[in-house]
Amino acid sequence: MRYDAIIAGGGPVGLACAISLARDGRKVCVVERSSVDVLANPPFDGREIALTHHASNWLKGVGAWDQIPQASICPMHTARIETGAAGGAPLLFDAPATGPDALGHLVANHLIRRALYRVAATVPGLEIRAGQGIDTARHDARMAQVTLVDGSVLDADLLIAADGRFSRLRDAAGIGAIVHDFQRSILVCRMHHPAGHANTALQWFDEGQTIALLPIAPDGRDGASSSLVLTLENDEIARLKTLDEDAFNAEITARTHERMGQMTLESPRCVYPLKAVYAHRFHAPRFALIGDAAVGMHPITAHGFNLGLKGQETLARAIADGPGDAGAPSVLAHFARVHRVATAPLFAATNTIATVYTRDEAPFLAARKLGLALANRLLPFKSAVTDMLMDRHS
């Protein structure tokens, strides 16, 4: 079985890459451990993805946007950043008066996965081997080859790892990575509350905790729902994960200072370790890294999926503009160079912000409040950040 590219991992970025390459006329195989049933109907995983307009337009272009229930898409009109328990003036980013009317759109990750699978399943030249894992992989100057758990052997011009920030294929290829362990975990779930959210995404660096409340599209009930993203020390998150539901509701209401009223859990609680990852290299002979296997971002800027989507676009474009060989050294070198320029500054800046804004010593608290106050007055800065949030220059 010979392909132009084999993609390890059928998550959103892996499926997006497969769609991009197959639409360019390439023969592609996606190998994914999850079953077809899971790919077709992924379970809720707690994550709400803040899609830039560039990402939304890409999804529209391949037909995936129409596969997402429109009632589940929540426009984000404002991003609000606060620091400290005492509040103070927030830093606000609003959608520009000249349009479009939203900074971006919030969509549940499992709905994006489902939509991309529905598209991928219909694209000619794209094969999905679900319920299969890769047992061994090798790649050299001549070819890439994988042996699946069932013994099948697949050959390709290029092997693409889209198997997550703790990528097994990246490790097997001898590619190291910068791993920034924040010694924290994240708990994500949906909470209902009586106060409306006004389509505002809140990032709150409170003392001793970091809270994000991301707006969920209305469902016709009184009040509103938000996605809670709570960052705490690992043992605290483990405790909250299994806490009795009534006690959990009471504690989250207290942790949010009752600003949205009584908080009521309405989804499973999902927990993730807080580790950011940046691969030392994005390629090896006939081997490329995309998505979190290349760059696993801290979620503070909500740019992880957006960067992953742009990364697969960069790879697909490099292949399309290349000599016809998907794994040619010139193709992979060009991809790696462009993707590094696009991701390295944002990765470094995000980690710095995440470190500084979670320190609770008095000098850091004072500096944080002063920084937000100054930033709120710098209109060129706010305009530049708004452009970044909206990805207006892509």
Side-chain angles (χ1 to χ4, degrees):
M1 299 296 294
R2 181 82 185 195
Y3 302 90
D4 291 296
I6 297 169
I7 300 173
V13 174
L15 290 175
C17 186
I19 292 167
S20 292
L21 294 177
R23 282 165 59 94
D24 284 343
R26 301 286 175 178
K27 187 178 180 183
V28 185
C29 180
V30 175
V31 181
E32 167 57 40
R33 290 182 179 275
S34 300
S35 68
V36 170
D37 290 342
V38 171
L39 285 173
N41 290 290
F44 175 81
D45 62 13
R47 289 176 285 193
E48 300 292 325
I49 306 300
L51 296 170
T52 63
H53 289 278
H54 179 93
S56 299
N57 289 334
W58 188 91
L59 292 170
K60 290 172 185 176
V62 301
W65 190 260
D66 292 338
Q67 298 294 333
I68 300 171
Q70 298 304 293
S72 300
I73 300 172
C74 186
M76 179 173 63
H77 297 156
T78 302
R80 180 185 180 98
I81 302 174
E82 299 181 12
T83 183
L91 176 59
L92 299 174
F93 297 97
D94 297 305
T98 55
D101 64 353
L103 292 171
H105 297 86
L106 287 152
V107 181
N109 186 61
H110 71 285
L111 295 181
I112 296 173
R113 291 181 61 193
R114 186 180 70 180
L116 286 168
Y117 173 74
R118 288 180 175 180
V119 172
T122 66
V123 176
L126 199 171
E127 178 184 354
I128 300 175
R129 295 206 173 204
Q132 275 291 337
I134 292 176
D135 185 33
T136 60
R138 67 180 185 86
H139 41 87
D140 53 32
R142 188 174 61 88
M143 64 179 292
Q145 184 179 86
V146 299
T147 302
L148 305 185
V149 173
D150 69 358
S152 301
V153 178
L154 312 179
D155 296 338
D157 293 329
L158 177 64
L159 173 60
I160 302 170
D163 54 344
R165 65 185 62 199
F166 307 115
S167 169
R168 187 172 65 89
L169 288 182
R170 184 187 65 215
D171 292 343
I175 298 177
I178 298 168
V179 179
H180 192 144
D181 188 347
F182 291 90
Q183 301 295 319
R184 299 284 190 278
S185 292
I186 298 174
L187 183 145
V188 288
C189 60
R190 288 187 173 190
M191 306 293 296
H192 191 265
H193 43 79
H197 52 52
N199 291 79
T200 296
L202 170 67
Q203 181 71 55
W204 179 14
F205 299 99
D206 195 6
E207 295 181 28
Q209 62 182 3
T210 301
I211 293 176
L213 289 172
L214 308 177
I216 301 295
D219 58 8
R221 294 179 295 164
D222 291 337
S225 295
S226 295
S227 173
L228 170 73
V229 185
L230 176 62
T231 305
L232 290 168
E233 293 184 353
N234 299 324
D235 56 350
E236 277 293 278
I237 291 294
R239 179 184 64 83
L240 286 169
K241 164 79 171 171
T242 58
L243 194 63
D244 169 80
E245 189 168 319
D246 289 339
F248 180 80
N249 292 337
E251 181 161 337
I252 297 304
T253 301
R255 284 185 176 277
T256 54
H257 297 203
E258 300 187 32
R259 62 189 298 158
M260 309 298 284
Q262 175 66 40
M263 305 287 279
T264 305
L265 181 67
E266 58 177 13
S267 79
R269 286 166 271 185
C270 304
V271 171
Y272 301 96
L274 186 53
K275 295 182 181 181
V277 177
Y278 199 92
H280 293 161
R281 293 179 288 123
F282 293 158
H283 72 100
R286 299 203 175 273
F287 180 71
L289 301 171
I290 61 172
D292 284 355
V295 182
M297 293 286 290
H298 188 294
I300 191 174
T301 57
H303 254 52
F305 175 70
N306 297 301
L307 283 179
L309 196 60
K310 292 186 77 173
Q312 67 81 22
E313 285 183 273
T314 299
L315 178 59
R317 191 175 304 117
I319 292 172
D321 294 342
D325 178 354
S330 60
V331 168
L332 299 183
H334 178 74
F335 154 69
R337 183 168 58 252
V338 174
H339 196 42
R340 191 166 299 279
V341 169
T343 58
L346 186 57
F347 181 83
T350 299
N351 287 350
T352 300
I353 292 169
T355 299
V356 171
Y357 273 74
T358 52
R359 296 282 296 273
D360 291 332
E361 296 88 341
F364 285 96
L365 289 172
R368 279 155 46 179
K369 291 179 180 179
L370 178 61
L372 290 190
L374 291 175
N376 223 8
R377 295 183 176 91
L378 296 174
L379 296 184
F381 167 79
K382 292 185 68 175
S383 177
V385 173
T386 299
D387 286 345
M388 183 200 76
L389 290 172
M390 300 179 71
D391 215 349
R392 298 179 79 183
H393 299 310
S394 13

